[in-house]
Amino acid sequence: MTNILASVVNLTIGTIWLTISMQLPVEAGIAAGITPFILSSALKITVVVIVALAVRQVQARTALAF
């Protein structure tokens, strides 16, 4: 959940900055600042979740839980 929130905050701030600095209409700012990055953000979140679940399983098997 934290990864999703961080991605949303990052994309939102970047889009606002892009829209203001390039003097774009809101629709164009969203198209340029969010749309190209949604797929890569979703992929990164998926990879992080898979790795975190794998680490949790290893910790449970080896009694290395913190």
Side-chain angles (χ1 to χ4, degrees), residues 3-4 7 37-51:
N3 289 322
I4 295 170
S7 290
F37 304 106
I38 288 178
L39 185 60
S40 64
S41 292
L43 180 63
K44 286 184 243 180
I45 290 168
T46 302
V47 169
V48 167
V49 168
I50 291 170
V51 169

Side-chain angles (χ1 to χ4, degrees), residues 13-45:
I13 291 172
T15 300
I16 291 169
W17 176 257
L18 179 67
T19 303
I20 292 170
S21 65
M22 299 294 290
Q23 299 177 353
L24 297 173
V26 174
E27 297 83 12
I30 291 171
I34 293 178
T35 306
F37 304 106
I38 288 178
L39 185 60
S40 64
S41 292
L43 180 63
K44 286 184 243 180
I45 290 168

